Amino acid sequence: MQEPKLLGSWLETARERAGAFKILLYLVLAALVVLNFFIVPHEPEFATEKLPGFWALFALAGTVVMVVVLKKIVYPMLAQPEEDTNDRS
Amino acid sequence: MTGLEHLGIHFFLHPAFGFLALALVMAFLKNSHYQIWRWLLLVPPVMAITVVVSLTMGPSGPRDLATFSYLGQTLHLGRVDTLSLVFAHVFAIQSLIGFIYALHVPDRAQHIAACLYVAGAFGSVFAGDYLTLFIFWELMSIGSVFLVWLRGTPTSTAAGFRYFLFHIFGGLFLLGGLLLRHAALGTFAFTAVAPDAARYFDYLILVGFLVNAAFVPLHAWLPDAYPEATITGAVFMSAFTTKTAVYALARGFAGFELLAIGGCVMCVYGVFYATIENNARRILSYHIVSQVGYMVCGIGIGTAMTVDGACAHAYAHILYKGLLFMGVGCLLYSTGSAKLTELGGLASRLPLVMIGYMVGAVSISGMPLFNGFVSKTMTIAGAAEAHHTWLALAMELAAVGTFLSVGIKLPYFAFWAKPKNDMPLKPIPWNMYLGMGISSLLCLFIGLFPQSLYKLLPFPTEYTPYTTWHVLQSSLLLGFTGLGFYLMRRIIPPHPSRNLDFDFLYRAIGRGFVKLVSVPTAAVDNIWTEVYARVGLRGLLSIGRGTNVFDGKVIDGVLDGSARAVREDGGAAVARIQTGRLQDYLAAAVALGLLIFVIVWLVK
């Protein structure tokens, strides 16, 4: 089946405008944190949840620590040469 | 509903039956005619959906719809209640999606394997006793191992053997446990065990279930074998083995503390390995371990809300994980590779594959509007409500890691990352797109209308996923994971490697065992050869001279006649049967076993 060409070229244009998407992401993230000052859980499941920005920090710190520890420390210890040279269908 | 009740009771056609019948029929068909017979593949799934949906309309209490006596035991093939139905419901839907996705495959062996596998899964969820469960459990192992072997590469053959040996190992625990349990309690009934009343045989059975649930450290068969399966086989495998095990755990072992903690370990363990993995199908496999962790944890906590959460998550997971495997399967089909280091820059050339994959990716990440959101938050909220704060926090961390690997890393390096890719692409058949399309719509539908899923759950639930806070919390988690990825974009790119996991331990044990047997055997053999050469041969030679006369005069005359018959009539056939491939002998053993089963049943 043929993939739609128009959609493909639209995605190609979108890629060229990656800078604009980046600014949009920052704006959305800022808006979410601002909203978090007004919207807090009624019955917090975790004590720290009442602090605005807690989950933002949790996700950011979680990602950064996970990537650094796993890629820089754990990965070199676990990596072995690839055995399968035949991942071809 | 009284009319429908009768319908359910009198017309219970076991969903496994259709798949087994089709497997039998396909044994007599030819690959060259697949354009005609392939439509038959859709019949058993449609029958299964019809049966299961009609059963959900019946009465809510447990029903025992199909029993028969065999060798002095009563086998319960049709235990129907809300717990078995929620699993059967999604199994039926996924079997249809899986066979639509596989419609273009002209190899009947793959379809037969898939049919046996799906039949095993249905048989297991409707089994009311351990004996029935064991039979279908093993059928699943056999069906699925062929989905790995039929890829036909040296690595898939090796991975298939490891997979099969490990499942035999798990199956033996289950068998040992159920036999010892029968000896102690006098029953094969498959019922719930209270955590404080569990005895040694219950723990043996539990180990058997945990092998199939990919419980760390018994999990390594999964990321070892699934990435080596056929493209369409992996879609089936992602749905049935682990989720049947989740069902069995929910049925028998809810409330076991070990499962609550172990499930959480699975959640983060799978995520950690996926972060450093390069093969897209292996990333998804590690995320099966992680996602099944949520379910195992929910079952281990054992409250009505967490068991419901586990069932809901199993339902949602089967749909989005199948979709993810279909998306990556399309990439593998079209480009010939599933390795992120060899892909990139494909978004504009395979936009529909990208969109289908992304629906699966945001679903597994728990984005509002998609099905993962309405099931994952239920398990986590249930854990927090049951005061397991640390477990809930670990599951939130796993959710962050899931979005990082499956939601951002994998699609970024597969579809974007590099400039537009000019590699040659094989056109993808329409049915693969259709399978992905149906899955995508279902992921979205359940996300938008969570009650359609909640009403199938075993316990009545009041849970409301769409509160302002839940939506904001999820958005914060996902958004800032995205920011974290952006900051770490120089560190995270994958590298080609095979990362050490517990399967290396299995391989070391396997090699050690071979040495253990072969070294002493070789030593004994050497001595024996020496003794034989010095002592035995002389004696034999003198006896030989005597027998030579007898042989020449009498035996030759008889043998010449029969040898001629064998050479001319049966020899070629015998040679053809003896292929020397263990896979073929296993298939023959299964066929023979089924034949004996039928003969015994008929004679009785």
Side-chain angles (χ1 to χ4, degrees):
Chain A
M1 198 177 100
Q2 278 283 322
E3 289 263 1
K5 290 247 165 23
L6 194 65
L7 187 61
S9 59
W10 184 83
L11 287 171
E12 205 52 42
T13 330
R15 178 213 288 280
E16 286 155 18
R17 293 188 192 144
F21 281 103
K22 203 161 73 184
I23 293 167
L24 192 68
L25 172 72
Y26 290 148
L27 287 176
V28 169
L29 292 182
L32 286 173
V33 176
V34 170
L35 276 176
N36 198 188
F37 279 89
F38 302 103
I39 302 168
V40 282
H42 296 297
E43 298 163 8
E45 287 158 1
F46 310 96
T48 44
E49 259 186 335
K50 280 180 278 187
L51 300 171
F54 169 71
W55 287 116
L57 196 67
F58 179 86
L60 186 63
T63 308
V64 170
V65 171
M66 223 177 337
V67 172
V68 171
V69 171
L70 290 168
K71 282 295 285 189
K72 288 287 174 195
I73 302 168
V74 178
Y75 178 71
M77 291 194 283
L78 296 181
Q80 302 282 310
E82 253 180 341
E83 59 182 7
D84 48 341
T85 49
N86 56 358
D87 199 2
R88 308 247 155 214
S89 57
Chain B
M1 289 285 176
T2 44
L4 287 170
E5 280 169 34
H6 284 288
L7 194 77
I9 291 166
H10 294 298
F11 295 97
F12 177 69
L13 183 64
H14 199 299
F17 176 78
F19 292 96
L20 288 173
L22 181 62
L24 188 67
V25 169
M26 271 192 295
F28 299 97
L29 298 173
K30 283 199 173 118
N31 282 349
S32 50
H33 297 152
Y34 90 101
Q35 288 283 7
I36 304 164
W37 58 250
R38 63 178 179 159
W39 301 106
L40 286 177
L41 295 171
L42 305 181
V43 176
V46 170
M47 274 165 56
I49 291 173
T50 315
V51 169
V52 173
V53 169
S54 73
L55 286 172
T56 57
M57 293 172 179
S60 57
R63 284 170 281 170
D64 196 4
L65 297 183
T67 55
F68 79 99
S69 297
Y70 184 72
L71 295 180
Q73 296 293 335
T74 307
L75 299 184
H76 301 266
L77 273 79
R79 186 215 338 237
V80 175
D81 60 8
T82 42
L83 184 61
S84 52
L85 277 179
V86 63
F87 282 86
H89 201 271
V90 68
F91 280 3
I93 292 172
Q94 188 62 25
S95 69
L96 180 64
I97 294 171
F99 276 114
I100 288 176
Y101 187 76
L103 266 185
H104 64 283
V105 176
D107 178 9
R108 71 190 166 127
Q110 288 189 36
H111 296 304
I112 291 175
C115 276
L116 293 179
Y117 179 46
V118 176
F122 274 114
S124 298
V125 297
F126 285 127
D129 62 286
Y130 274 117
L131 212 54
T132 309
L133 179 76
F134 180 75
I135 293 167
F136 284 105
W137 195 265
E138 292 306 305
L139 184 64
M140 254 184 1
S141 295
I142 293 163
S144 55
V145 73
F146 279 95
L147 293 176
V148 180
W149 276 335
L150 287 168
R151 179 101 184 275
T153 64
T155 43
S156 73
T157 307
F161 274 114
R162 289 193 292 273
Y163 172 89
F164 192 65
L165 281 175
F166 209 72
H167 279 273
I168 291 292
F169 166 79
L172 287 177
F173 270 91
L174 176 58
L175 181 64
L178 70 91
L179 291 176
L180 289 168
R181 187 173 178 276
H182 185 264
L185 306 178
T187 175
F188 281 122
F190 179 20
T191 47
V193 184
D196 46 0
R199 294 174 58 189
Y200 67 96
F201 43 78
D202 293 312
Y203 283 103
L204 288 179
I205 294 172
L206 180 61
V207 171
F209 290 166
L210 290 179
V211 166
N212 274 29
F215 190 82
V216 175
L218 304 171
H219 68 287
W221 56 268
L222 196 159
D224 183 29
Y226 283 18
E228 308 300 341
T230 63
I231 290 174
T232 54
V235 175
F236 281 106
M237 292 175 82
S238 74
F240 295 102
T241 302
T242 48
K243 262 60 75 185
T244 309
V246 166
Y247 161 80
L249 290 171
R251 170 74 69 192
F253 296 93
F256 277 61
E257 181 86 20
L258 167 79
L259 299 182
I261 295 162
C264 246
V265 171
M266 290 167 73
C267 282
V268 289
Y269 189 94
V271 159
F272 288 167
Y273 265 87
T275 311
I276 55 175
E277 183 55 55
N278 179 39
N279 184 316
R281 293 208 295 174
R282 193 160 283 123
I283 292 176
L284 296 182
S285 301
Y286 273 116
H287 274 284
I288 295 181
V289 176
S290 172
Q291 296 295 305
V292 171
Y294 285 91
M295 302 164 212
V296 172
C297 182
I299 291 165
I301 294 169
T303 63
M305 186 176 181
T306 56
V307 173
D308 263 0
C311 295
H313 203 49
Y315 195 107
H317 174 85
I318 286 175
L319 292 173
Y320 61 64
K321 185 59 77 171
L323 178 55
L324 291 168
F325 265 97
M326 285 192 267
V328 171
C330 282
L331 278 177
L332 177 56
Y333 182 90
S334 188
T335 66
S337 176
K339 288 176 190 162
L340 296 182
T341 40
E342 295 172 10
L343 300 169
L346 291 164
S348 56
R349 297 185 65 200
L350 297 170
L352 292 180
V353 175
M354 194 269 289
I355 290 170
Y357 176 86
M358 283 316 294
V359 171
V362 295
S363 297
I364 192 177
S365 309
M367 186 177 277
L369 305 182
F370 295 90
N371 64 357
F373 174 75
V374 305
S375 62
K376 189 185 286 188
T377 52
M378 192 174 189
T379 313
I380 299 176
E385 219 164 75
H387 307 293
H388 288 281
T389 314
W390 284 104
L391 298 185
L393 216 53
M395 288 194 268
E396 295 283 16
L397 181 68
V400 167
T402 305
F403 188 51
L404 177 69
S405 293
V406 182
I408 312 177
K409 181 182 114 175
L410 198 162
Y412 178 73
F413 288 104
F415 294 109
W416 308 94
K418 297 172 198 161
K420 191 172 172 180
N421 198 324
D422 291 327
M423 69 202 298
L425 294 181
K426 195 163 130 191
I428 299 167
W430 62 268
N431 57 296
M432 291 172 92
Y433 287 107
L434 182 62
M436 288 179 75
I438 296 172
S439 279
S440 303
L441 287 178
L442 284 173
C443 285
L444 187 61
F445 180 83
I446 292 169
L448 293 173
F449 305 101
Q451 283 307 326
S452 61
L453 171 57
Y454 292 168
K455 71 173 189 214
L456 293 171
L457 297 177
F459 301 102
T461 180
E462 295 292 309
Y463 182 67
T464 331
Y466 287 107
T467 62
T468 327
W469 169 244
H470 275 152
V471 173
L472 179 66
Q473 186 215 9
S474 296
S475 309
L476 281 165
L477 274 175
L478 298 180
F480 280 85
T481 305
L483 182 65
F485 178 85
Y486 183 69
L487 296 176
M488 294 287 107
R489 66 192 182 281
R490 304 253 179 270
I491 300 181
I492 207 164
H495 301 90
S497 65
R498 179 71 199 254
N499 303 323
L500 278 179
D501 197 350
F502 279 86
D503 59 313
F504 279 83
L505 188 68
Y506 313 160
R507 294 184 209 195
I509 293 172
R511 278 192 291 269
F513 180 74
V514 171
K515 277 235 168 80
L516 193 74
V517 176
S518 62
V519 172
T521 313
V524 170
D525 188 54
N526 280 342
I527 296 167
W528 170 246
T529 313
E530 193 64 27
V531 170
Y532 180 74
R534 281 163 195 260
V535 185
L537 268 182
R538 248 171 251 160
L540 276 179
L541 278 173
S542 53
I543 299 169
R545 275 189 286 273
T547 52
N548 183 29
V549 179
F550 176 74
D551 187 40
K553 305 278 182 215
V554 186
I555 304 289
D556 278 3
V558 180
L559 272 187
D560 281 356
S562 59
R564 196 177 305 117
V566 169
R567 192 188 63 215
E568 287 171 8
D569 304 327
V574 172
R576 244 198 330 274
I577 293 168
Q578 293 174 333
T579 58
R581 285 157 41 97
L582 277 174
Q583 294 97 310
D584 296 341
Y585 296 156
L586 179 66
V590 174
L592 193 66
L594 284 172
L595 191 69
I596 293 170
F597 182 84
V598 171
I599 290 170
V600 171
W601 190 41
L602 291 177
V603 169
K604 277 270 179 181

